[in-house]
Amino acid sequence: MSAVFKYNFTFISNENTLFINVETQGTLSDKIFDAGYRPAFVAKLTVTGTLNKDDFTCMRETMTSLIDVDLSGITNTSGVNFENKKNLRKIILPENLTSIESSAFSSCSSLTSIIIPESVKNIASYADMVRGAGKKTVLLRIPMHSE
């Protein structure tokens, strides 16, 4: 007698982006499941609404296939941290972000693009911010402030 196992996986190809609006902080993972996807298989994500530490932990630790993330539409900006997110290639930061903390992208070895909004006034040292990001060129679109 042989056993037959069936596994149901939901994949999002690199061509598709999952759009999620998080109305209640801490519910990103639930919203992804509600949309019919498993967080571990989401490659590209655009998030609007409000996020908290749990949501960033979900993106950093549970969403193992995440390569591109667009946070330009989130309303709160505390806790933006993708440290050790090795697959992350591109990130668009929130439009109202005012500072980027040290090591926010350290050990993001696949990171090639960080889009920084004009609202950012304080950036931790570049070396600390992307420490361990590999030997690739990282494109930073940084606004110029005339203060």
Side-chain angles (χ1 to χ4, degrees):
M1 179 185 234
S2 63
V4 176
F5 297 98
K6 288 188 176 184
Y7 297 97
N8 293 319
F9 294 105
T10 305
F11 292 93
I12 293 185
S13 77
N14 290 344
E15 302 304 315
N16 298 321
T17 299
L18 179 61
F19 295 88
I20 297 289
N21 180 43
V22 178
E23 296 170 355
T24 304
Q25 291 182 351
T27 62
L28 176 62
S29 182
D30 294 338
K31 290 285 192 177
I32 293 170
F33 277 111
D34 291 348
Y37 300 99
R38 294 176 186 253
F41 300 120
V42 174
K44 295 183 178 185
L45 178 68
T46 295
V47 182
T48 58
T50 180
L51 304 178
N52 69 6
K53 181 182 173 186
D54 294 336
D55 298 314
F56 283 102
T57 299
C58 173
M59 284 187 276
R60 214 175 36 251
E61 297 175 11
T62 306
M63 300 181 75
T64 54
S65 299
L66 188 62
I67 57 173
D68 292 356
V69 62
D70 180 347
L71 301 175
S72 60
I74 67 169
T75 56
N76 66 317
T77 59
S78 62
V80 176
N81 186 317
F82 287 90
E83 186 174 5
N84 295 316
K85 185 72 178 162
K86 304 224 183 284
N87 294 335
L88 189 64
R89 295 184 318 197
K90 177 182 177 182
I91 182 164
I92 301 173
L93 295 172
E95 288 297 321
N96 56 356
L97 186 68
T98 57
S99 66
I100 300 173
E101 300 301 322
S102 178
S103 73
F105 306 105
S106 69
S107 298
C108 292
S109 54
S110 299
L111 189 63
T112 58
S113 177
I114 304 170
I115 308 301
I116 300 172
E118 290 184 26
S119 58
V120 172
K121 307 284 188 226
N122 181 29
I123 299 176
S125 74
Y126 176 78
D128 287 340
M129 187 175 74
V130 295
R131 182 184 322 116
K135 296 181 179 174
K136 299 179 192 77
T137 300
V138 175
L139 167 68
L140 293 172
R141 188 180 339 154
I142 301 174
M144 300 303 291
H145 295 286
S146 58
E147 294 181 33

